[in-house]
Amino acid sequence: MPSQAPLLLRHHRPFIAFWLARVFTASGFQMLTVAIGWNLYQLTGNVLDLGLVGLVEFAPRVLFMLHTGHVADRYDRRKVAAICQSLQALIALSLAIGSATDHVTREMIFILAFLLGAARSFEMPTTQALLPSIVPSALFPRAVAAAQSAQQSATIVAPALGGLLYAFGSVWVYGPTVILYLIACALMLNLPARQTPLNKGKATLDSLLAGIRFIRSRPDILGAISLDLFAVLLGGATALLPVFAKDILLTGPWGLGLLRSAPAVGALLMSLFLARFAIERNVGRVMFTAVGVFGVATIAFGLSTSFWFSLAVLVVLGAADMISMVIRASFVQLETPDEMRGRVSAVNGLFIGASNQLGEFESGLTAHWFGTVPAVVMGGIGTLMVTGAWIKLFPTLANRDRMHVPVEEVRV
């Protein structure tokens, strides 16, 4: 029964191990990102280098998109995830040794950032495809929400911890990061083995493109993934937060830090709520409503001149985005056969990464052309327009009642 589901999830040992692994690997990445940024800026003093690091980390997601999904479907997902986490541990160890011996260079950081992006590009679809195989389908939406709470908790806590440790030296960040990744690796390897047969097919172009063809053949999945792409692409305003903090809300670095944390706080609170009270009916209507709230919150933030109101609006924005994300992730995974989940997750991951990266570029470009406030307001309006258009283009998705309809019910 629904009232028993949260209790079952808390006592589901494989999921607890998966959840802890997510906490450790997400915390390790957040701490590593903070340390790399500070380390690089201390070396070069060039702001452009900070942007280039993000671009270098994103590049492998595009370069290896077709291969990452195939690897997740062909090989043991536990081992693939563990290898990726081990590689990230080696990257942190290399930086720790380089810092201890004073041999960290700009070129070294860029090479390791590329390797970090490559490891994460394989890890992301693998762990997404792994989750449905370790929890019952009835608990899956709650499991997605709970797994996201791990991600959001790390996003809030780990950067601050990394910054605090960096005050004692970069080695004090890189060293603990190695341990976090190794613990996550051990937890992954202790998960139960995959029950469905592995895909033994060769990595042909036809096989690599199968994920894209599958998404195109399922209008609801295509609609959900593309809705997130365009909504975040237009509505994302995080790249402009420094401008709002300094010139519009008239606050300092502390205010910028709170503004950056606010969406994660909203997302964390909502993920905890959804882990306890899963959305089981009218999922299409709820998802589109959440995206609409995301657009309205973006507009409200753009027009606000009050720091505390802006903070509250960003919390709402993060919560609305979490509702949309949990519904989309749950229903896409449940509607995808296990042997295809890796390739579909790889395409979905590229869409998510592209929406975030290109969204920052779009925000900066429109702010340069029209001004900061008009850029954010126009982005929010664009999100609302996309929401309305997608309701018309994908009516079955908008009217979808459940995450997944079991085969037995379809036969009846």
Side-chain angles (χ1 to χ4, degrees), residues 99-223:
S99 297
T101 58
D102 200 23
H103 282 88
V104 176
T105 64
R106 175 179 181 270
E107 291 72 22
M108 175 185 177
I109 288 179
F110 278 119
I111 291 172
L112 293 178
F114 180 85
L115 293 175
L116 179 64
R120 285 177 55 79
S121 70
F122 281 88
E123 180 189 20
M124 181 179 294
T126 301
T127 53
Q128 287 180 349
L130 181 62
L131 181 57
S133 65
I134 63 174
V135 295
S137 59
L139 290 177
F140 186 67
R142 289 181 171 87
V144 171
Q148 282 300 313
S149 72
Q151 182 74 33
Q152 297 303 326
S153 299
T155 302
I156 296 170
V157 177
L161 178 60
L164 179 64
L165 291 175
Y166 198 95
F168 299 98
S170 56
V171 177
W172 288 90
V173 184
Y174 296 134
T177 300
V178 175
I179 298 173
L180 290 175
Y181 277 123
L182 291 179
I183 295 174
C185 176
L187 289 167
M188 278 292 173
L189 291 175
N190 280 316
L191 291 177
R194 185 176 179 179
Q195 298 300 314
T196 55
L198 295 174
N199 176 12
K200 297 297 184 180
K202 294 182 179 179
T204 62
L205 181 61
D206 183 68
S207 172
L208 296 174
L209 293 174
I212 296 176
R213 289 199 305 272
F214 178 82
I215 291 173
R216 289 183 59 187
S217 70
R218 302 295 181 94
D220 284 6
I221 294 179
L222 175 62

Side-chain angles (χ1 to χ4, degrees), residues 52-320:
L52 290 176
V53 167
L55 184 62
V56 168
E57 287 183 10
F58 177 70
R61 188 173 294 181
V62 179
L63 293 175
F64 304 131
M65 179 196 75
L66 296 176
H67 297 279
T68 56
H70 185 83
V71 168
D73 287 335
R74 185 176 184 184
Y75 300 101
D76 188 328
R77 289 166 182 161
R78 302 171 305 161
K79 295 179 180 178
V80 173
I83 290 171
C84 293
Q85 290 155 1
S86 298
L87 177 57
Q88 292 172 82
L90 287 174
I91 292 169
L93 180 61
S94 300
L95 287 166
I97 294 173
S99 297
T101 58
D102 200 23
H103 282 88
V104 176
T105 64
R106 175 179 181 270
E107 291 72 22
M108 175 185 177
I109 288 179
F110 278 119
I111 291 172
L112 293 178
F114 180 85
L115 293 175
L116 179 64
R120 285 177 55 79
S121 70
F122 281 88
E123 180 189 20
M124 181 179 294
T126 301
T127 53
Q128 287 180 349
L130 181 62
L131 181 57
S133 65
I134 63 174
V135 295
S137 59
L139 290 177
F140 186 67
R142 289 181 171 87
V144 171
Q148 282 300 313
S149 72
Q151 182 74 33
Q152 297 303 326
S153 299
T155 302
I156 296 170
V157 177
L161 178 60
L164 179 64
L165 291 175
Y166 198 95
F168 299 98
S170 56
V171 177
W172 288 90
V173 184
Y174 296 134
T177 300
V178 175
I179 298 173
L180 290 175
Y181 277 123
L182 291 179
I183 295 174
C185 176
L187 289 167
M188 278 292 173
L189 291 175
N190 280 316
L191 291 177
R194 185 176 179 179
Q195 298 300 314
T196 55
L198 295 174
N199 176 12
K200 297 297 184 180
K202 294 182 179 179
T204 62
L205 181 61
D206 183 68
S207 172
L208 296 174
L209 293 174
I212 296 176
R213 289 199 305 272
F214 178 82
I215 291 173
R216 289 183 59 187
S217 70
R218 302 295 181 94
D220 284 6
I221 294 179
L222 175 62
I225 293 177
S226 57
L227 173 65
D228 175 74
L229 169 64
F230 289 105
V232 176
L233 177 66
L234 295 173
T238 55
L240 301 178
L241 286 181
V243 182
F244 275 90
K246 182 176 183 295
D247 299 332
I248 297 174
L249 302 176
L250 305 178
T251 185
W254 65 273
L256 175 60
L258 289 177
L259 290 173
R260 285 195 176 279
S261 297
V265 171
L268 173 61
L269 294 175
M270 183 53 68
S271 66
L272 294 174
F273 177 82
L274 293 177
R276 178 65 180 86
F277 304 101
I279 300 170
E280 298 177 344
R281 305 303 296 265
N282 298 315
V283 295
R285 189 177 303 172
V286 173
M287 182 178 71
F288 277 100
T289 300
V291 177
V293 171
F294 180 89
V296 172
T298 300
I299 296 172
F301 175 75
L303 296 174
S304 173
T305 56
S306 165
F307 173 74
W308 297 110
F309 179 74
S310 297
L311 209 60
V313 166
L314 287 177
V315 171
V316 172
L317 182 147

